[in-house]
Amino acid sequence: MAFAAGTNLILAPRHYEYLATLGAMSRSGRCDAFGPQADGYVPAEAVAAVLLKPLAAALADGDPIRAVIKGSATLHGGRTASLTAPAPQPQADLLRRAWEDAGTEPRRLGFIEAHGTGTPVGDPIEVNGLLRAFAGPSASEGPAWCGLGSVKSSIGHLEAAAGLAGVAKAVLAIEAGLRPATLHADPPNPQGHLDD
């Protein structure tokens, strides 16, 4: 077994100075992931950890199992115009590889916990990547409806702990049988083409 952990502490003003120079921080002070008023992200602090154990070992030991990670994938999107403007095609490729590794397909998905930083350029690009992934080889078998969310709209961007915060949110949502709302995204950003 192993712990996977992420920590983000903002201990010096240089962090804010750098983000302000990039123009990445929200002027409104809130994260509007996938919303039309998205104007940047909100830095936040957290420590998050999960205990990982092979499923067979956890079952044999009688451990309480909160969730099962069926697959994963990693990819670097390469050089882009800026830190806040990722490339949509590598994101689509990554999603397809993760779904394949998990032995699942888009039509079985009911919810995606996305990155969703609340930046005016990054969020629509992320949605574009999702749409490309769903439009892949099994497009005719894609879902009629799939929820999309980002924990950042509730707690900000935890940077090195952001991924685990999203995992924690997804696990809690599964346990509760709910799709949590993404705050400040009603109506959705028209540049994201979420109606598609």
Side-chain angles (χ1 to χ4, degrees):
M1 63 183 140
F3 281 103
T7 302
N8 189 55
L9 300 175
I10 303 169
L11 303 175
R14 288 188 313 257
H15 183 77
Y16 292 104
E17 292 166 2
Y18 173 70
L19 293 173
T21 301
L22 280 178
M25 286 182 33
S26 170
R27 286 179 172 78
S28 67
R30 70 179 200 191
C31 179
D32 296 328
F34 307 115
Q37 62 280 11
D39 66 351
Y41 84 91
V42 178
E45 297 180 309
V47 176
V50 294
L51 177 62
L52 303 172
K53 192 172 185 179
L55 181 58
L59 290 169
D61 292 344
D63 294 337
I65 299 170
R66 303 288 299 268
V68 175
I69 299 171
K70 291 188 170 189
S72 65
T74 60
L75 179 77
H76 189 284
R79 184 180 291 270
T80 59
S82 86
L83 177 67
T84 60
Q89 190 57 52
Q91 290 187 9
D93 296 341
L94 173 69
L95 289 167
R96 287 191 200 119
R97 286 179 37 205
W99 296 336
E100 182 179 329
D101 188 58
T104 194
E105 48 201 20
R107 71 173 175 216
R108 300 199 57 208
L109 301 176
F111 182 77
I112 292 178
E113 175 62 22
H115 191 54
T117 58
T119 59
V121 174
D123 287 356
I125 290 173
E126 183 174 9
V127 171
N128 185 322
L130 285 163
L131 293 174
R132 288 180 187 204
F134 280 118
S138 58
S140 62
E141 302 171 352
W145 187 89
C146 181
L148 175 67
S150 173
V151 72
K152 291 173 186 71
S153 73
S154 298
I155 60 177
H157 195 327
L158 305 174
E159 299 178 18
L164 286 175
V167 169
K169 175 190 166 188
V171 169
L172 291 169
I174 291 167
E175 290 178 344
L178 299 171
R179 289 187 184 105
T182 296
L183 305 177
H184 323 301
D186 188 19
N189 186 337
Q191 292 180 358
H193 304 288
L194 288 168
D195 290 340
D196 297 338

